[in-house]
Amino acid sequence: MCRLNPKVDFVFKKLFGSEENKDILISFINSVLSEDEQIVDIELKNPYNLANYRQGKMSILDIKAVDEKGVWYDIEMQIAEQSFYDKRALYYWAKVYSDQIESGYEYNLLKKTIGINILDFEYLDEEEYHNVYKIYNVKSKKAFSNLFELHFIELPKFKKDFSEIRTTLDRWAAFLTKAYEFDKDTVPKELAQSEEIKKAAEKLDIMSLNKEEREIYENDLKAMMVRNAEINAAEEKGREEGREEGREEGKVEGRIEAAIEAIKLGVNNDVVAKISKLSIEKVEELRKKLAINK
């Protein structure tokens, strides 16, 4: 398996946000874009730098870049679940968009800005793992502007086996979610079709971390593992509560059935209530329903 987890925030920045790995970033961006929007080069605006990470400068925007056509990108890898991520995504997009100019009077200089949000949790009420949002007229469906574009890639919704992979984005989603299953020498053939993914696997496998980087990585990894454990515990509690609710519902249904049989036998309401452990009001309600259905 790959030595490092590519979903851990620190490793993701170092892998996709380093000058030496620009081809990896370009491949990933192209996997998200449509065929007529493919790019050939990109300039990193906040390349990976340990000093910047230490000072917190890399915690605001994961990867900020601009391509040869002047289109800007804000790429965020988020492993911690957030209730208001929609607001955060819009804020980050707006920050990259507005920071393109220093004066509010130079609006003509503003270029298309694309936010790509990779989430290690489910957030949108959509079935697909990749969803794109743009601005359009709700009546005519005509686009208002092409300057705004937000992508959401929800990794937990990616359920495909290697044999089901069809697109380059599928390959990158599989890489991010299944890197623990292989290393640079055992990259599945379905992923190895991409030279950039093969390179990413090799980089992860041989990526060296100094003492400080290792500490940051292990802290990030620990935080991710704690979060996953909390989620699993909450899900198990929910399942247990669901089972308990099911048992209670079954008991209630049994009491109602017993009450109905007693009513049919002519037993008075007080006795039916004692036998079934239902309230007098509930017994009276059942008796009325039976009378109506006769």
Side-chain angles (χ1 to χ4, degrees):
M1 64 181 67
C2 290
R3 293 174 56 247
L4 301 174
N5 189 324
K7 290 190 294 186
V8 172
D9 184 62
F10 176 77
V11 174
F12 182 85
K13 288 184 174 115
K14 188 168 184 177
L15 180 63
F16 287 90
S18 297
E19 288 287 348
E20 64 187 56
N21 298 334
K22 285 203 302 182
D23 54 338
I24 293 177
L25 179 60
I26 291 171
S27 173
F28 174 74
I29 291 175
N30 280 336
S31 76
V32 174
L33 302 179
S34 61
E35 290 186 5
D36 60 347
E37 294 180 306
Q38 300 293 287
I39 64 175
V40 297
D41 194 18
I42 201 159
E43 177 187 354
L44 288 166
K45 291 299 185 180
N46 61 341
Y48 168 80
N49 181 282
L50 179 60
N52 286 342
Y53 193 97
R54 188 189 303 119
Q55 296 168 15
K57 293 179 181 179
M58 291 181 67
S59 62
I60 300 174
L61 293 174
D62 268 337
I63 298 173
K64 183 167 63 173
V66 60
D67 68 22
E68 76 278 2
K69 295 173 287 188
V71 178
W72 286 72
Y73 301 88
D74 165 28
I75 304 169
E76 167 88 4
M77 175 74 219
Q78 183 63 37
I79 61 175
E81 188 167 356
Q82 296 188 9
S83 300
F84 304 103
Y85 193 82
D86 53 340
K87 294 180 174 61
R88 173 173 173 166
L90 287 170
Y91 174 79
Y92 281 179
W93 178 90
K95 190 76 168 60
V96 174
Y97 181 69
S98 61
D99 281 353
Q100 295 175 30
I101 58 175
E102 296 181 0
S103 170
Y105 299 102
E106 298 174 327
Y107 300 124
N108 61 304
L109 299 179
L110 291 168
K111 301 295 184 180
K112 181 175 183 176
T113 301
I114 299 175
I116 302 176
N117 302 275
I118 311 162
L119 309 182
D120 197 29
F121 56 92
E122 295 187 12
Y123 187 77
L124 303 175
D125 186 20
E126 302 286 352
E127 292 185 7
E128 296 294 328
Y129 77 92
H130 177 215
N131 291 281
V132 187
Y133 294 85
K134 299 182 180 183
I135 301 177
Y136 67 94
N137 185 306
V138 296
K139 291 183 179 180
S140 67
K141 308 303 180 184
K142 293 181 180 179
F144 171 73
S145 169
N146 74 335
L147 297 180
F148 174 88
E149 188 171 316
L150 273 185
H151 293 253
F152 290 88
I153 300 169
E154 298 168 280
L155 296 178
K157 291 181 180 178
F158 180 78
K159 307 292 187 181
K160 297 181 180 181
D161 293 328
F162 290 127
S163 61
E164 299 175 297
I165 290 174
R166 296 292 180 269
T167 68
T168 305
L169 182 56
D170 283 349
R171 295 185 185 96
W172 278 116
F175 169 78
L176 290 171
T177 57
K178 301 175 184 288
Y180 64 90
E181 297 183 13
F182 56 85
D183 57 30
K184 64 182 179 66
D185 297 318
T186 58
V187 178
K189 64 179 185 300
E190 294 84 0
L191 304 190
Q193 295 179 35
S194 168
E195 289 297 324
E196 291 77 19
I197 289 180
K198 287 170 60 179
K199 177 180 177 180
E202 180 178 356
K203 288 290 184 179
L204 273 187
D205 214 33
I206 65 174
M207 185 181 288
S208 61
L209 304 178
N210 62 33
K211 182 179 180 181
E212 186 173 3
E213 290 176 322
R214 171 62 63 176
E215 183 178 348
I216 294 171
Y217 170 74
E218 290 179 350
N219 286 337
D220 285 352
L221 183 61
K222 180 181 178 180
M224 185 175 74
M225 294 173 66
V226 168
R227 179 185 66 86
N228 290 338
E230 291 174 345
I231 291 174
N232 291 335
E235 289 177 347
E236 178 57 33
K237 182 179 179 181
R239 285 191 291 269
E240 180 58 35
E241 290 176 349
R243 288 192 288 267
E244 184 61 33
E245 289 176 1
R247 287 192 287 268
E248 288 301 318
E249 288 177 0
K251 291 178 182 178
V252 172
E253 290 178 359
R255 292 170 185 170
I256 291 175
E257 290 176 2
I260 290 174
E261 292 302 316
I263 292 171
K264 288 179 179 179
L265 293 172
V267 180
N268 65 55
N269 289 352
D270 289 337
V271 175
V272 172
K274 289 180 180 179
I275 294 173
S276 65
K277 296 182 180 180
L278 296 174
S279 66
I280 290 292
E281 292 77 15
K282 182 63 177 178
V283 173
E284 291 176 347
E285 178 187 337
L286 291 173
R287 189 180 292 276
K288 289 179 181 178
K289 287 182 178 180
L290 286 173
I292 292 173
N293 294 330
K294 284 183 178 180

